[in-house]
Amino acid sequence: MSVSIDIAGLRPERVAVVPSPLAELGSALHALSEPGHHPGLQGWVTGVTARLDSHLADRMCEADFLWRTTFSDLFLPFAGVPGGSTLPGATLAEDLDLLDKLTDEQFVDAALEFTCALPAATPASDVLADSELRRRALELAAARGPQQLRFSQRLLEDPPRIRAWLRRFLEDCDEMFFADAWPRLRHQLAADARHKTDLLRHKGLTEALTAVSPAVGVDEAAGRITIDKLRQGHTVIRDRSLLLVPTSLGWPHLQVLHRHGWQPVLHYPVGSPGLTVPPSVDQLTMRMTALSHPVRMQLCRNLARSTYTTSELVQIHGMTAPEISRHLGVLKKAGLITTRRRGRYVLHQLDVTAVARLGSDFLEALLR
């Protein structure tokens, strides 16, 4: 599973690395709503929550589906501005002005993507004009609770009013907590953007994109970027730009905007702990599959305690040497055991660190 971007014909000058204050505010709102996704931000989340105005906290809950479950494209409005080359604003006010440039149809379509499961990768139907699509959207919103239904009803009945409400809410968030954090975040993100831009200019697209995340792969010959994620998606650059938008508060989420007709955007985390490179989704699947077999689980029990030769494992488990070798081969291919030679004997041992990381690797893949 992966999200791919067709970059055939993409010119270097159509790739930009630019921080976005609105995107970072969206990451901040997500972290405040889902602190469990961001253990490194616990102190910041606690501090902001403690001084949060109760009225603003209530408003934050009113439309949290735009940032709690995942990350709405409304926080990357520059990607939807006609022309396919608009960059993020230098200030939050400039980014909010770009949000105002989206049509009501774009705004509603993006806002309903996650609350009502409306697809992003196909040409959008006009939910404001299509009564059947409108009925379905409200039905799906109702299944998610009365609060979401009320917001969706107001959104469909009066988009300009909700747009004004959202802008005012984001401005109040800026005044309450984001304006204090943004100067520090801006310097970190600008430094990373300069570094990626230098890589792009001096070493090329592949070097710059692979520096974004180990989950990003580039095949310039095929004209394709592949982002290793537990979802499917595809978009085409055509005559638009490719935007790379760094985030500090967004780790570990690697977001890919691939909405039909919008500029593709990689919203990538910087400054992650990254002690080790997480396995790909395919590697993770292979490891979990390898451990699902009862015989291999028994082998791991032995190999976690000590090193064993194949012959010793044959004796312990009462199986043939080819059977044991086949199971060991699966575990080794999955990167779960190590082997070393001692004289004429080959010793096998469980890679305890790799097994211990499976839970966090799985969670990282889910959140990526």
Side-chain angles (χ1 to χ4, degrees):
M1 288 182 283
S2 62
V3 177
S4 62
I5 303 173
D6 188 334
I7 57 170
L10 177 65
R11 301 191 304 275
E13 63 270 19
R14 298 298 294 247
V15 182
V17 192
V18 188
S20 163
L22 179 56
E24 198 65 1
L25 176 53
S27 294
L29 289 168
H30 172 69
L32 290 169
S33 299
E34 290 286 359
H37 290 189
H38 308 272
L41 296 177
Q42 291 290 348
W44 180 81
V45 167
T46 301
V48 170
T49 303
R51 66 177 189 271
L52 203 60
D53 175 82
S54 60
H55 180 57
L56 183 62
D58 289 341
R59 292 158 67 202
M60 193 176 292
C61 294
E62 195 170 340
D64 68 350
F65 61 83
L66 293 175
W67 53 78
R68 177 186 287 275
T69 304
T70 185
F71 193 77
S72 173
D73 293 343
L74 291 178
F75 290 101
L76 305 166
F78 39 85
V81 175
S85 60
T86 302
L87 298 179
T91 66
L92 180 63
E94 290 178 11
D95 263 352
L96 291 174
D97 288 344
L98 294 175
L99 181 60
D100 289 342
K101 289 186 177 183
L102 298 182
T103 65
D104 283 347
E105 290 76 13
Q106 284 180 300
F107 184 90
V108 172
D109 180 57
L112 290 177
E113 177 190 354
F114 301 114
T115 183
C116 299
L118 299 177
T122 56
S125 300
D126 186 355
V127 69
L128 294 175
D130 188 326
S131 59
E132 177 56 29
L133 190 57
R134 185 189 187 100
R135 183 199 63 77
R136 175 174 171 268
L138 291 175
E139 185 177 276
L140 290 168
R144 298 194 174 212
Q147 184 167 282
Q148 209 146 311
L149 175 60
R150 285 194 298 270
F151 191 91
S152 298
Q153 287 172 327
R154 298 204 311 272
L155 175 67
L156 290 168
E157 290 167 3
D158 193 354
R161 181 184 175 191
I162 295 300
R163 295 177 70 143
W165 178 93
L166 181 61
R167 175 160 187 153
R168 182 59 188 163
F169 167 73
L170 295 172
E171 290 171 340
D172 289 348
C173 287
D174 184 47
E175 182 179 342
M176 179 64 68
F177 63 86
F178 188 67
D180 292 335
W182 176 241
R184 171 181 56 83
L185 298 169
R186 182 184 63 218
H187 290 303
Q188 181 189 18
L189 299 180
D192 185 83
R194 286 192 298 271
H195 172 63
K196 298 296 191 301
T197 301
D198 285 343
L199 286 176
L200 185 65
R201 289 174 178 167
H202 299 114
K203 296 193 175 182
L205 182 64
T206 297
E207 193 79 18
L209 287 175
T210 52
V212 161
S213 168
V216 178
V218 184
D219 185 342
E220 291 198 62
R224 177 163 297 200
I225 301 169
T226 302
I227 301 93
D228 189 49
K229 289 175 68 71
L230 276 166
R231 62 180 297 189
Q232 290 290 124
H234 178 70
T235 190
V236 180
I237 290 286
R238 290 195 180 94
D239 57 351
R240 298 187 293 269
S241 299
L242 173 64
L243 296 180
L244 310 180
V245 178
T247 171
S248 178
L249 299 177
W251 186 89
H253 304 302
L254 172 63
Q255 310 287 347
V256 187
L257 188 159
H258 56 99
R259 178 172 294 278
H260 183 83
W262 291 38
Q263 293 183 74
V265 179
L266 284 180
H267 188 222
Y268 67 94
V270 301
S272 67
L275 297 178
T276 60
V277 176
S280 67
V281 170
D282 286 343
Q283 289 172 316
L284 182 61
T285 303
M286 188 185 299
R287 289 181 178 183
M288 298 179 77
T289 301
L291 291 175
S292 68
H293 195 288
V295 171
R296 292 194 283 272
M297 290 177 67
Q298 293 176 41
L299 288 172
C300 287
R301 182 179 184 276
N302 297 113
L303 298 174
R305 289 164 168 76
S306 182
T307 58
Y308 285 88
T309 66
T310 301
S311 297
E312 289 173 325
L313 293 170
V314 166
Q315 293 296 319
I316 293 170
H317 295 277
M319 300 174 68
T320 66
E323 288 175 318
I324 291 293
S325 295
R326 185 174 66 253
H327 286 302
L328 290 174
V330 172
L331 291 169
K332 185 173 182 179
K333 185 176 181 181
L336 294 173
I337 65 172
T338 60
T339 60
R340 60 186 176 88
R341 182 172 291 277
R342 188 179 65 196
R344 62 190 183 89
Y345 298 102
V346 176
L347 302 174
H348 309 282
Q349 188 166 30
L350 188 71
D351 187 337
V352 177
T353 301
V355 175
R357 279 189 53 87
L358 270 176
S360 58
D361 286 341
F362 180 56
L363 183 59
E364 191 273 346
L366 295 177
L367 299 178
R368 183 182 300 157

